Amino acid sequence: QVQVVESGGGLVQAGGSLRLSCAASGSISSIINMRWYRQTPGKQRELVATITSSGSTDYTDSVKGRFTISRDSAKNTVSLQMNSLKPEDTAVYFCNVEVRRGLVWGENYWGQGTQVTVSS
């Protein structure tokens, strides 16, 4: 099995910064992609940022220039540095890891989510 644990959420004023971290552990041969999603009540989960095994990154338009995703492949961790936060960034943030386990590719595992609240 694979465990995914997030940390780093909290309450911050608009314009402030937070850093989210996520660690994956367990029966993992390699991690393919690592992603951060967010979700607010009544809305679908939104993909925020992706980092591939080669280090390529992609962001949803609303966070470009403000958020930075990074990973430490040796430690199976991914972080999301969030700067210039806005009230509309308020959400539960979820870490997602796409892994290879032996001959099985592409399994997805989720963390439990961490709340980010940005006050105006």
Side-chain angles (χ1 to χ4, degrees):
Q1 287 294 338
V2 176
Q3 296 79 43
V4 179
V5 178
E6 302 111 335
S7 61
L11 172 64
V12 65
Q13 288 188 332
S17 298
L18 280 175
R19 185 177 181 87
L20 305 183
S21 297
C22 170
S25 61
S27 180
I28 300 172
S29 299
S30 62
I31 296 181
I32 305 167
N33 297 312
M34 306 183 87
R35 301 180 176 96
W36 285 98
Y37 288 76
R38 64 187 180 188
Q39 189 170 25
T40 54
K43 293 189 176 181
Q44 286 192 331
R45 197 167 290 188
E46 174 192 27
L47 176 60
V48 176
T50 301
I51 186 164
T52 70
S53 56
S54 63
S56 297
T57 59
D58 192 32
Y59 301 90
T60 191
D61 286 347
S62 62
V63 308
K64 285 181 180 177
R66 300 188 298 121
F67 290 12
T68 302
I69 189 171
S70 60
R71 67 188 282 175
D72 184 333
S73 296
K75 296 181 179 179
N76 288 343
T77 60
V78 62
S79 297
L80 185 68
Q81 178 66 42
M82 304 184 294
N83 298 327
S84 302
L85 282 161
K86 304 175 180 180
E88 50 264 43
D89 294 318
T90 295
V92 178
Y93 284 71
F94 295 89
C95 176
N96 170 270
V97 295
E98 182 183 353
V99 307
R100 178 177 69 85
R101 297 175 65 206
L103 299 179
V104 180
W105 288 75
E107 290 186 340
N108 277 275
Y109 293 88
W110 294 86
Q112 78 286 356
T114 185
Q115 177 71 45
V116 171
T117 303
V118 184
S119 63
S120 57

